[in-house]
Amino acid sequence: MMPRLKISLIVLLCTLAAQLNAQTAGYKFKRQITGISTTWHIAELPDELFAHTKPGFEDLRIFGIKGKDTVEVPYLLKQRSDQVSTKDIPFAQINQSSGENGYYFTFQSPDANTSVINQIRLDFKQDNFDWKVLLEGSNDNKAWFTLLKDYRILSIKNSHTDYQFTVLNFPDSKYQYFRISLKSQLKPELVSAKIAKTDTVKGIYKEVKLRSIRVKNNKETKESTIDLDLKGLVPVSAVKLNVGSTFDFYRTIRIEYATDSFQTDKGMQYNYADLYSGTLTSLEKTEFNFPNMVAVRLRIIIENNDNTPLQIGLVQLQGNTFDLIARFDDLAYSYALYYGDEKASSPNYEIGKFEDKIPTMLNAANIEKEENNPAYQFKTGKPLFENKIWLWALMTIIIIVLAGFSYKMLKS
């Protein structure tokens, strides 16, 4: 019985050790979470974390440890980007006319209690036009007040470009009537006009610092390329170009991010993936927003076709912060954020289905400095049979088994 008891004890100890480290053993890094004083907390992810976690944050986990007990904490990951909501307001077109100063379109609200609006989206049958707009508002269809003057709308469609800018943006206004005047040699064919109220809840942005910027104008490809090296792996969600050219322009623009790199005879080369595509034009803000992407290098490509390259000045980058919203059910545990498991898949927590039950006012917790996870060595140590303890244990078991067989053979 004694040999069997020893073997059982060894197996039991190994099993207990494996259970205690199993949940955290796959993660290379950890950061202590401090300042936990209640159930719900919010904490901002530090920029330094992004270099060691998966791009989609599938490997982020919060574990609490109390003695031999380990619990996993459910969380939501939120990025603080702009939240834009648009509400269409019912307006009916009541008049269409023309005069010496152009063509007129008048709209009336059927509701006596007129809603506040700040946007009109126009759709014309024509594909190519360049018109100036006068927008006015009135409450009695007699006295008119100017909201926009010499506002330019444009449509270009050819083999190189398919672009429209036909949205009228103006300050919040409350009128029962709106009148649009277009200066055009040809009669505008208005297909529809959607009148709306747009609200924007500004997100939280952080400036992204650049290590270097290089602008290259290629005459053969008729493109301008802007290479941006960032000072580390950080989230990027907005690019602003300061264009020094004073003439009007509208050009296709692409923004890409580097996915990986490789060494060649010509130096380091990069593979890129698309991040944003659209139009760079003097009619709109030269700012471009896209979902947060963790990157260390960006490339901006401007298609010039046969036009003069634009004078590109300062390039400004911003990124949204990532916030963890977590529920700590037992304050007796010591909690830490774990990451760095390449094989981890995204967690599935039920709190995502009950987001409306999360308090709006959350206490802030702190995510401390990065440290190596001691439990990671347990999982990724030397192979089993390179461990001397296991070798001695195995040899002992073999000797006991052989001795037992020998004893039985001699006895028989």
Side-chain angles (χ1 to χ4, degrees), residues 26-31 46 48-54 59-61 337-341 367-371 373:
Y27 303 91
K28 295 180 181 179
F29 307 100
K30 61 179 287 190
R31 290 174 180 261
E48 296 78 11
L49 176 146
F50 301 120
H52 293 148
T53 188
K54 298 179 71 174
D59 57 334
L60 285 185
R61 297 292 189 278
L337 179 65
Y338 292 79
Y339 54 96
D341 187 347
I367 299 178
E368 304 297 339
K369 292 183 179 180
E370 182 178 273
E371 55 185 289
N373 177 20

Side-chain angles (χ1 to χ4, degrees), residues 6-20 378:
K6 291 181 179 179
I7 294 171
S8 300
L9 184 60
I10 292 173
V11 173
L12 178 62
L13 291 174
C14 293
T15 303
L16 288 175
Q19 289 178 345
L20 290 174
F378 174 83

Side-chain angles (χ1 to χ4, degrees), residues 111-179:
D111 188 357
N113 298 319
T114 306
S115 301
V116 174
I117 74 167
N118 57 14
Q119 186 182 88
I120 299 178
R121 302 189 298 273
L122 304 174
D123 182 19
F124 295 93
K125 189 175 181 179
Q126 287 97 331
D127 285 332
N128 292 279
F129 57 81
D130 187 353
W131 298 328
K132 294 293 184 67
V133 174
L134 172 66
L135 176 63
E136 300 171 297
S138 174
N139 284 321
D140 57 7
N141 202 17
K142 295 179 181 179
W144 292 93
F145 302 91
T146 301
L147 300 174
L148 294 174
K149 185 178 181 180
D150 290 333
Y151 189 95
R152 190 178 181 186
I153 60 175
L154 180 72
S155 174
I156 301 173
K157 188 172 184 179
N158 53 43
S159 57
H160 299 291
T161 305
D162 188 357
Y163 170 75
Q164 273 198 355
F165 178 67
T166 57
V167 178
L168 310 183
N169 293 300
F170 48 93
D172 290 355
S173 303
K174 189 175 182 180
Y175 292 102
Q176 190 173 359
Y177 298 92
F178 286 90
R179 185 170 67 184

Side-chain angles (χ1 to χ4, degrees), residues 40 43 117 151 169 171 207 210 231 247 249 264 271 275 292 309 316 321 327 349 355 363 366 395 405:
W40 290 97
I117 74 167
Y151 189 95
N169 293 300
E207 181 185 358
L210 291 173
K231 287 187 176 180
F247 52 82
F249 55 86
T264 68
N271 291 320
L275 187 57
N292 247 6
Q316 297 170 285
T321 59
R327 188 187 70 212
Y349 301 123
E355 195 170 341
N363 293 337
N366 301 314
M395 291 174 64
F405 277 114

Side-chain angles (χ1 to χ4, degrees), residues 46-285:
D47 289 345
E48 296 78 11
L49 176 146
F50 301 120
H52 293 148
T53 188
K54 298 179 71 174
F57 306 107
E58 296 90 349
D59 57 334
L60 285 185
R61 297 292 189 278
I62 300 175
F63 291 113
I65 297 177
K66 183 177 66 174
K68 298 180 179 179
D69 295 333
T70 301
V71 295
E72 185 169 348
V73 174
Y75 70 85
L76 292 176
L77 186 61
K78 293 289 186 180
Q79 56 172 307
R80 301 303 184 182
S81 56
D82 289 351
Q83 301 297 319
V84 180
S85 62
T86 300
K87 178 183 178 182
D88 288 338
I89 309 298
F91 267 79
Q93 183 176 337
I94 62 171
N95 190 21
Q96 179 175 337
S97 60
S98 62
E100 294 181 358
N101 293 325
Y103 294 87
Y104 299 88
F105 302 89
T106 306
F107 304 90
Q108 180 185 12
S109 171
D111 188 357
N113 298 319
T114 306
S115 301
V116 174
I117 74 167
N118 57 14
Q119 186 182 88
I120 299 178
R121 302 189 298 273
L122 304 174
D123 182 19
F124 295 93
K125 189 175 181 179
Q126 287 97 331
D127 285 332
N128 292 279
F129 57 81
D130 187 353
W131 298 328
K132 294 293 184 67
V133 174
L134 172 66
L135 176 63
E136 300 171 297
S138 174
N139 284 321
D140 57 7
N141 202 17
K142 295 179 181 179
W144 292 93
F145 302 91
T146 301
L147 300 174
L148 294 174
K149 185 178 181 180
D150 290 333
Y151 189 95
R152 190 178 181 186
I153 60 175
L154 180 72
S155 174
I156 301 173
K157 188 172 184 179
N158 53 43
S159 57
H160 299 291
T161 305
D162 188 357
Y163 170 75
Q164 273 198 355
F165 178 67
T166 57
V167 178
L168 310 183
N169 293 300
F170 48 93
D172 290 355
S173 303
K174 189 175 182 180
Y175 292 102
Q176 190 173 359
Y177 298 92
F178 286 90
R179 185 170 67 184
I180 297 173
S181 172
L182 298 175
K183 295 181 179 180
S184 171
Q185 298 295 326
L186 300 175
K187 180 181 178 181
E189 298 183 50
L190 182 64
V191 176
S192 66
K194 295 183 179 180
I195 299 176
K197 174 68 165 64
T198 299
D199 293 307
T200 301
V201 178
K202 295 296 292 181
I204 301 175
Y205 291 87
K206 296 171 64 175
E207 181 185 358
V208 176
K209 296 182 179 179
L210 291 173
R211 177 178 286 111
S212 65
I213 175 174
R214 294 178 297 277
V215 181
K216 180 180 179 181
N217 297 315
N218 192 318
K219 295 182 179 180
E220 294 183 0
T221 61
K222 301 180 180 180
E223 293 178 337
S224 294
T225 303
I226 307 170
D227 287 313
L228 305 171
D229 287 328
L230 316 184
K231 287 187 176 180
L233 196 64
V234 293
V236 183
S237 60
V239 174
K240 180 179 179 181
L241 298 178
N242 289 276
V243 181
S245 303
T246 57
F247 52 82
D248 286 331
F249 55 86
Y250 40 89
R251 306 185 186 185
T252 299
I253 184 173
R254 301 195 316 274
I255 302 176
E256 304 172 337
Y257 70 99
T259 57
D260 53 34
S261 60
F262 54 95
Q263 187 68 41
T264 68
D265 295 338
K266 297 181 179 180
M268 189 67 69
Q269 301 295 316
Y270 299 88
N271 291 320
Y272 289 89
D274 291 337
L275 187 57
Y276 175 89
S277 62
T279 303
L280 174 66
T281 172
S282 55
L283 299 180
E284 301 181 67
K285 294 181 178 180

Side-chain angles (χ1 to χ4, degrees), residues 1-10 390-410:
M1 293 294 295
M2 289 301 294
R4 293 184 179 180
L5 180 61
K6 291 181 179 179
I7 294 171
S8 300
L9 184 60
I10 292 173
W390 278 103
L391 286 173
W392 280 109
L394 182 61
M395 291 174 64
T396 302
I397 293 171
I398 293 173
I399 292 171
I400 292 172
V401 172
L402 292 175
F405 277 114
S406 299
Y407 176 77
K408 288 181 179 180
M409 292 176 64
L410 291 172

